[in-house]
């Protein structure tokens, strides 16, 4: 139900300030992104929101992973999407977004390696 390839790619983007600067500020015609695209990638394209709503995430992944997913969603909502990209990158709440995205990246990699996807 979860598109792990998209999920890991977009979590990597949310976890890395350097990647955000490269993609959100200095993107080129082959590679570019934005805060909105990254969060849509995680929650919509990778189907993480649907997995939360249907209970799929809870049935197939650890409690820690589920809790951190909800915390990431809450932290993202504290950052206005209409800010300029550089202001989003510098926003104080992005520190927790990056931390949670990094932790979720490790958890999803570990838990999907055990046969879940």
């Amino acid at each position: 139900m979860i598109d792990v390839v998209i999920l890991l790619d977009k979590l990597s983007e949310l976890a890395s300030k350097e990647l955000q600067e490269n993609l959100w500020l200095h993107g080129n015609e082959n590679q570019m992104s934005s805060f909105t695209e990254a969060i849509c990638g995680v929650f919509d394209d990778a189907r993480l929101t649907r997995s939360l709503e249907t209970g799929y995430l809870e049935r197939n992944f650890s409690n820690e992973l589920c809790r951190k997913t909800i915390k990431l969603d809450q932290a993202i909502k504290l950052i206005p999407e209409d800010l300029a990209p550089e202001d989003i990158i510098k926003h104080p709440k992005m520190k927790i977004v990056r931390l949670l995205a990094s932790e979720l990246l490790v958890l999803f990699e570990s838990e999907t390696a055990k046969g879940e996807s």
Side-chain angles (χ1 to χ4, degrees):
M1 179 169 223
I2 294 173
D3 188 320
V4 177
V5 173
I6 292 173
L7 180 63
L8 296 179
D9 179 56
K10 293 303 177 179
L11 281 174
S12 295
E13 184 176 331
L14 287 175
S16 169
K17 184 176 181 181
E18 293 76 24
L19 196 51
Q20 291 161 10
E21 289 170 344
N22 287 335
L23 294 174
W24 303 356
L25 300 177
H26 312 297
N28 58 51
E29 61 189 47
N30 296 322
Q31 260 192 324
M32 59 187 300
S33 189
S34 68
F35 179 62
T36 300
E37 287 180 37
I39 59 177
C40 285
V42 168
F43 289 98
D44 298 336
D45 301 341
R47 298 184 291 278
L48 199 55
T49 297
R50 179 112 175 105
S51 295
L52 275 168
E53 291 171 347
T54 63
Y56 176 85
L57 204 67
E58 188 177 342
R59 288 190 306 275
N60 293 284
F61 293 90
S62 69
N63 288 334
E64 180 183 11
L65 185 146
C66 294
R67 281 193 311 274
K68 287 183 190 255
T69 298
I70 293 166
K71 284 184 177 183
L72 177 64
D73 184 43
Q74 293 167 340
I76 283 170
K77 289 176 180 171
L78 298 174
I79 301 169
E81 289 183 55
D82 61 350
L83 294 176
E86 55 272 1
D87 293 332
I88 291 174
I89 292 168
K90 293 176 186 174
H91 196 283
K93 297 293 182 187
M94 278 302 290
K95 289 180 183 180
I96 189 67
V97 168
R98 287 187 196 100
L99 176 64
L100 289 165
S102 296
E103 292 172 349
L104 279 169
L105 188 59
V106 170
L107 287 169
F108 272 110
E109 286 174 339
S110 170
E111 293 186 30
T112 56
K114 295 176 187 172
E116 302 292 341
S117 61

